[in-house]
Amino acid sequence: MEGKPATPAVLQPRWKRVLGSTGPVPRPRHGHRAVAIKELMVVFGGGNEGIVDELHVYNTATNQWFIPAVRGDIPPGCAAYGFVCDGTRLLVFGGMVEYGKYSNDLYELQASRWEWKRLKAKAPKNGPPPCPRLGHSFSLIGSRCYLFGGLANDSEDPKNNIPRYLNDLYCLELRPGSSVVGWEIPATSGPPPPPRESHTAVVTTSHGTSRLIIYGGMSGCRLGDLWVSAFKTCLPGFPGAPCAIKISKVRRYLYVTQSACSVTNRGCQTSCFPGTSVSAEPGWGPRTCRVLSRGRNI
């Protein structure tokens, strides 16, 4: 008599506060960003009674913080900026450099030698380069970074803020190892997401198609909509080079909880089974936390 197949073990996520770390612990902050390089977490910028310009690194294997001796074109402190990691190089774009003053500067940090370099990317052939902004998303797909949205200040006086929410999409082509080629404004189909800042953006890839998934944000009020942009790679030998970008809004999801199934378009669940994901909206002001269940589009 054949036995029943073994049920695969399910990982039960468990939070644990990390205590007892040594080294120069960063001061409290918000609006910062962090990326992982192997066992290291690199933290830069943020806000704490002003803009923080510190770079801290946490070694997850030794529970130690350290401040690397950086050199080169060290950027000013910034908050709510774009931060991506490509191997051992990090790219920083935009953000708030002081109250009411936003940036569109682009910096590269080579973490293998902790050297900063300010980069000058060519402007797009079909439009202006990205304007100064904060609260945008900056996502790596193959050899390109995709910049979406954010918040601009249309006032020349930083103390007189005239906010303008953005929904533009830019593509930054990277050179292998170091530096960049330039900005592009990719052609898209489908209606774009409404303007927003402090949204989340993640990239998924399957069967040669990468998807940029944008959720929530702020545009005068908190947003809870979900958008997908599909990038189909069809140029052999050029990973990340899209031949088509299609944008679509995800209108309804089926959410499966431990106790019941329900259809909702509000994007918020409080009880989910293991395998679900939690997405916290980053940003400069108070934000909510969304729990997105493992489900399917219906």
Side-chain angles (χ1 to χ4, degrees), residues 53-215:
D53 61 358
E54 304 156 354
L55 179 76
H56 285 77
V57 180
Y58 174 69
N59 189 319
T60 61
T62 62
N63 195 20
Q64 291 178 315
W65 287 95
F66 67 93
I67 300 176
V70 296
R71 55 195 174 105
D73 305 323
I74 300 174
C78 58
Y81 56 92
F83 204 20
V84 300
C85 179
D86 177 30
T88 58
R89 69 168 164 177
L90 287 67
L91 292 167
V92 171
F93 175 78
M96 175 188 284
V97 293
E98 60 183 71
Y99 179 77
K101 184 178 180 182
Y102 310 155
S103 168
N104 61 350
D105 292 335
L106 178 65
Y107 286 88
E108 176 186 85
L109 174 63
Q110 291 286 348
S112 59
R113 54 184 181 271
W114 301 115
E115 183 175 7
W116 285 102
K117 181 180 180 182
R118 185 175 180 181
L119 304 179
K120 293 184 178 179
K122 294 180 181 178
K125 295 179 180 179
N126 54 342
C131 66
R133 65 189 67 200
L134 63 73
H136 47 281
S137 58
F138 201 42
S139 309
L140 181 66
I141 301 178
S143 61
R144 286 166 164 79
C145 290
Y146 287 87
L147 166 69
F148 175 77
L151 178 68
N153 182 4
D154 281 347
S155 173
E156 296 182 359
D157 180 7
K159 296 181 180 180
N160 181 27
N161 200 321
I162 303 176
R164 176 166 56 94
Y165 294 94
L166 305 169
N167 67 339
D168 46 1
L169 179 68
Y170 282 88
C171 170
L172 178 67
E173 184 180 357
L174 309 183
R175 295 187 188 277
S178 179
S179 195
V180 296
V181 178
W183 292 104
E184 303 169 4
I185 301 178
T188 63
S189 64
R196 67 194 60 211
E197 58 101 2
S198 296
H199 51 280
T200 56
V202 298
V203 175
T204 64
T205 302
S206 177
H207 305 294
T209 297
S210 295
R211 290 177 172 84
L212 179 65
I213 304 174
I214 292 173
Y215 173 74

Side-chain angles (χ1 to χ4, degrees), residues 2 15 24 73 95 124 251 269 279:
E2 296 183 0
W15 287 106
D73 305 323
R251 298 190 179 277
Q269 284 292 117
S279 174

